[in-house]
Amino acid sequence: MKAVVITSPGDPEVLQLQEVEEPEIKDDEVLIKTEAAALNRGDIYQRQGFYPPPEGASTFPGLECSGIIEAVGENVSRWKVGDKVCALLSGGGYAEKVAVPAGQVLPVPSGVSLSDAASLPEVACTVWSTVFTMSRLCPGETLLIHGGSSGIGTFAIQIAKFKGAKVFVTAGDERKLAFCNDLGADLCINYKTEDFVVRVKEETEGKGVDVILDCVGVAYLQRNLDCLNVDGRLFIIGSISGFVAELNIAAMFAKRLSIQAAALRTRSVEEKASIVKEVEKNVWPAIMSGKVKPVVPQRFPLGEAAEAHRLMESGNHIGKILLIA
């Protein structure tokens, strides 16, 4: 089969489409003939040499895909050959075929195309496990999403609104802010021209938001705490601004704030299966009803993975970027 290989750590041109051996499935896995794979920021970090795959995972990049099941392991009962599915991966999505634990597989939601379904597993599992399971966002509360026009952001806006929350977002230009507004965001803040802490305080009569989903990290850490409400929860899912910060924790004591951080890829197979099960139960109905939709304006052939990475690194995209196998 063909797969995108990271020939050495570096810039996008190190991604090369090559002939490789097909994966062999274990008893609790299925083999998916890939229709599409979606890009994630972790793919870029892996290409650069900063985010190696977990032990035993495929060395090819790609944390989510969609396709048709081609083979099933001896212990797999739910899935059968020919099923149209999408899957959460530890790696290997940038390939014509991928082996994945059966518990990390989801049916393609009705009303969603097979290729677009590739854009759903990583964002759905990330947002559900962080915003709802761990940060306990409730109807009537307010969620602030940094990077509202990203794949994570565009999904989080929709599912949070579906669940009855108010949603604030930050983004870096008017085109992205308009897109977030069209998805249902209640307040759209241009972080380049406005102070998001000031805007949040103005909009909430000085109280602040209840939950923040943050991919910026260090640069926003203190300011995030400053715009949280009493009992507010900050969840960090990335840190594009670095990893070392100095923090005045007085606000944490005064307002009973909590900070959490997590990555999805490094969780155990059992944990991922549990999250996937919860996503199918709680998120898939929203997608099947048409209230939450994939946002996939950009698609590239598998052999143009380097160009897809350049687009993601430019920051000019909205939503998810797909590679079509």
Side-chain angles (χ1 to χ4, degrees):
M1 70 171 186
K2 287 184 171 63
V4 174
V5 176
I6 301 172
T7 54
S8 64
D11 293 330
E13 58 265 21
V14 304
L15 298 173
Q16 299 291 327
L17 190 65
Q18 298 181 359
E19 284 287 340
V20 300
E21 293 291 324
E22 290 190 12
E24 295 182 3
I25 60 170
K26 301 173 183 176
D27 289 345
D28 59 351
E29 293 182 335
V30 301
L31 183 68
I32 298 174
K33 186 178 187 301
T34 307
E35 172 76 14
L39 269 66
N40 288 278
R41 185 66 58 175
D43 303 342
I44 291 174
Y45 297 148
Q46 180 176 339
R47 189 203 76 219
Q48 294 171 333
F50 302 134
Y51 193 34
E55 186 176 351
S58 171
T59 59
F60 311 134
L63 300 176
E64 57 189 336
C65 75
S66 62
I68 298 173
I69 291 182
E70 193 169 88
V72 298
E74 289 186 8
N75 297 336
V76 177
S77 57
R78 177 178 182 183
W79 307 108
K80 64 182 185 298
V81 173
D83 284 345
K84 295 181 178 180
V85 297
C86 54
L88 179 70
L89 310 173
S90 296
Y94 293 18
E96 292 179 330
K97 296 181 183 182
V98 62
V100 57
Q104 292 169 214
V105 177
L106 288 152
V108 172
S110 58
V112 175
S113 70
L114 183 57
S115 60
D116 282 1
S119 71
L120 295 173
E122 179 79 13
V123 293
C125 290
T126 296
V127 172
W128 185 258
S129 63
T130 57
V131 173
F132 294 95
T133 302
M134 299 180 73
S135 294
R136 309 176 310 283
L137 182 70
C138 297
E141 289 191 320
T142 302
L143 169 68
L144 170 62
I145 305 163
H146 292 302
S149 63
S150 67
I152 291 283
T154 53
F155 188 89
I157 292 168
Q158 295 180 83
I159 191 65
K161 292 296 294 183
F162 178 79
K163 293 293 184 180
K166 181 177 283 190
V167 177
F168 298 171
V169 302
T170 64
D173 65 54
E174 296 307 313
R175 176 181 67 102
K176 293 178 179 179
L177 292 169
F179 196 94
C180 293
N181 181 72
D182 289 343
L183 286 178
D186 299 283
L187 176 67
C188 302
I189 305 166
N190 187 328
Y191 68 82
K192 293 181 180 178
T193 61
E194 302 175 282
D195 184 332
F196 70 81
V197 179
V198 172
R199 288 298 311 278
V200 164
K201 290 292 185 67
E202 289 174 348
E203 203 69 22
T204 60
E205 299 179 340
K207 294 178 181 178
V209 298
D210 301 292
V211 177
I212 300 175
L213 184 63
D214 178 44
C215 60
V216 177
V218 167
Y220 279 7
L221 186 54
Q222 190 68 57
R223 295 165 71 196
N224 278 333
L225 297 184
D226 292 343
C227 66
L228 277 172
N229 195 2
V230 174
D231 292 318
R233 292 86 76 193
L234 166 63
F235 208 107
I236 303 171
I237 56 169
S239 190
I240 60 176
S241 58
F243 295 95
V244 180
E246 185 174 309
L247 182 65
N248 181 343
I249 63 173
M252 296 186 68
F253 286 109
K255 296 193 288 184
R256 301 187 299 273
L257 307 181
S258 62
I259 302 174
Q260 299 179 87
L264 188 57
R265 187 185 199 183
T266 53
R267 289 178 182 263
S268 69
V269 172
E270 293 77 16
E271 287 176 312
K272 289 176 183 174
S274 177
I275 292 170
V276 165
K277 185 176 181 180
E278 286 296 306
V279 163
E280 185 173 0
K281 175 183 175 182
N282 295 288
V283 178
W284 250 225
I287 298 172
M288 291 188 289
S289 71
K291 300 296 185 182
V292 175
K293 298 178 180 179
V295 177
V296 192
Q298 302 93 185
R299 304 162 195 270
F300 294 82
L302 188 61
E304 295 180 14
E307 283 302 313
H309 273 227
R310 288 188 186 98
L311 174 60
M312 176 169 268
E313 289 182 274
S314 75
N316 291 327
H317 67 292
I318 288 176
K320 299 289 285 188
I321 303 169
L322 291 188
L323 295 175
I324 308 299

